[in-house]
Amino acid sequence: MTVAATVLAALVVNLVLWLAGLVAGGSFEYTDAGTVSAAAPAGVVLMTVVPLAAGLTVATLLGLWWRGFLRVAQVVGVVLPLATIQGTAAADFDGASTVALAAMHVVIAIAAVAGLEVLRRRSDPGSREGER
């Protein structure tokens, strides 16, 4: 349930960022091998849902084996989305699209850490729901 809620929340925020980028004049188009392609809205949905759902699911399963893995996963959950901003910046998106897409990477990093923190607290044998 936590994984699904985290992914859904990140997707909603990223779609709002996409709409804001459109309002700001972004086209979300880039050129690849001479062909103009659009990165949104399908790309926003795909690149939010798949990596975040996969990462959180793997981290959850490995966290069952070793609870400390959830902390490791939080670090990875920040580093990977922030590192991939470089690819967005290197593409030939317009300014509004680049800013919106970069902000979406930050949303994914925040969502990963927050979702994993909820999972970590729930798996802590010394804590009880509602006390934190």
Side-chain angles (χ1 to χ4, degrees):
M1 186 70 160
T2 301
V3 171
T6 301
V7 171
L8 182 60
L11 178 59
V12 168
V13 173
N14 280 351
L15 288 173
V16 168
L17 287 170
W18 168 64
L19 290 172
L22 287 177
V23 169
S27 68
F28 294 89
E29 294 179 340
Y30 63 98
T31 307
D32 183 23
T35 304
V36 176
S37 300
V44 171
V45 173
L46 181 71
M47 296 307 290
T48 299
V49 171
V50 172
L52 191 55
L56 290 175
T57 300
V58 168
T60 300
L61 293 174
L62 290 172
L64 295 172
W65 170 67
W66 173 43
R67 195 169 85 70
F69 185 80
L70 295 175
R71 283 288 190 218
V72 173
Q74 284 179 307
V75 173
V76 172
V78 168
V79 171
L80 287 181
L82 295 183
T84 57
I85 290 175
Q86 180 274 335
T88 300
D92 65 344
F93 289 108
D94 56 74
S97 298
T98 299
V99 170
L101 290 167
M104 291 177 201
H105 288 251
V106 175
V107 167
I108 291 171
I110 292 168
V113 170
L116 289 166
E117 185 62 21
V118 169
L119 290 167
R120 191 190 69 74
R121 288 183 182 205
R122 285 188 181 162
S123 71
D124 185 357
S127 72
R128 288 185 276 176
E129 296 260 351
E131 287 188 342
R132 291 186 184 193

